[in-house]
């Protein structure tokens, strides 16, 4: 039997490296991390870019996972499996935070809510399962856009304003998404609905690829502290719950 193909092994190693952390690395960083010659790493990256598995940032020249690969990563995961793996963690998050919990996946540039746990009180609430939310105005959507290079096209389209705090400038949105990747979580404060705020974190599958997002939503005064930033305890709770689901889906780093 023939042995492994070295170039494919190296390409796989590059993809795994980009799937970790922020996913934005230069040729020299990639070559150094994997012990490859710079020319070799560059040649593999150009090939991966040609088939859509990686994309290069025009401003920095750094590489990240491309839309084609990310879509392959999510296609293996059935939405029902994501929901079934997340149910217990979502229930626990709602109980601890006292807020509603939603899990979303990307669909045609928006966020499809695949699971919703009501806020644990006696107030009248509406089930959001099946609803499509605007990606740029929600914490769930920002998480999904931040880790999906294919969302670039959506950013250049019209960004509808829902409130005076909705981000409608593509450059500003790009900056926010970079912060999401750096922090590992996203927030919304009265960007979709006046008086409401939210926090979300990525759910990852095998290989570390983001396959969904989990978050909480509620009144601004409950979600945010005096400075208008989400309360650290809530951020930690959301991130821990999302990581727990990720582990159940095979993302060993979380």
């Amino acid at each position: 039997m023939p042995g492994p193909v070295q170039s494919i092994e190296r390409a796989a190693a590059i993809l795994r490296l980009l799937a970790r952390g922020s996913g934005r690395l230069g040729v020299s960083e990639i070559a150094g991390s994997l012990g490859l010659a710079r020319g070799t790493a560059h040649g593999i990256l150009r090939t991966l870019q040609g088939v859509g598995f990686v994309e290069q940032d025009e401003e920095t020249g750094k590489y990240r996972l491309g839309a084609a690969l990310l879509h392959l990563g999510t296609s293996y995961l059935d939405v029902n499996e994501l929901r079934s793996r997340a149910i217990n963690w979502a229930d626990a998050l709602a109980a601890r935070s006292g807020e509603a919990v939603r899990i979303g996946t990307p669909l045609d540039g928006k966020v499809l809510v695949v699971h919703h746990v009501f806020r644990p009180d006696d107030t009248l609430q509406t089930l959001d399962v099946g609803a499509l939310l605007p990606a740029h105005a929600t914490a769930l959507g920002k998480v999904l856009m931040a880790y999906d290079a294919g969302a670039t096209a959506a950013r250049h389209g019209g960004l509808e304003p829902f409130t005076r705090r909705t981000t409608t400038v593509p450059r500003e949105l790009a900056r926010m998404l970079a912060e999401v990747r750096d922090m590992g979580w996203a927030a919304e404060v009265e960007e979709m609905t006046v008086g409401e705020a939210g926090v979300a974190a990525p759910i990852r599958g095998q290989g570390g690829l983001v396959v969904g997002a989990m978050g909480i939503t509620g009144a601004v005064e409950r979600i945010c502290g005096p400075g208008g930033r989400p309360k650290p305890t809530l951020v930690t709770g959301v991130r821990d719950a999302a990581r727990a689901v990720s582990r159940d889906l095979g993302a060993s780093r979380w």
Side-chain angles (χ1 to χ4, degrees), residues 55-128:
E55 292 185 356
Q56 186 178 29
D57 186 276
E58 295 180 359
E59 295 182 0
T60 66
K62 292 189 175 185
Y63 291 87
R64 62 186 177 189
L65 294 180
L69 182 65
L70 290 169
H71 291 160
L72 283 175
T74 57
S75 66
Y76 86 92
L77 181 69
D78 186 88
V79 167
N80 289 329
E81 181 183 358
L82 173 60
R83 181 177 179 276
S84 65
R85 298 278 186 173
I87 284 177
N88 290 339
W89 298 110
D91 287 345
L93 177 59
R96 288 195 304 270
S97 67
E99 304 296 344
V101 176
R102 294 184 297 194
I103 296 172
T105 59
L107 179 65
D108 297 332
K110 296 187 177 182
V111 181
L112 173 65
V113 179
V114 299
H115 187 56
H116 180 198
V117 181
F118 283 161
R119 185 172 60 255
D121 59 24
D122 296 328
T123 58
L124 181 63
Q125 301 174 63
T126 302
L127 188 66
D128 288 342

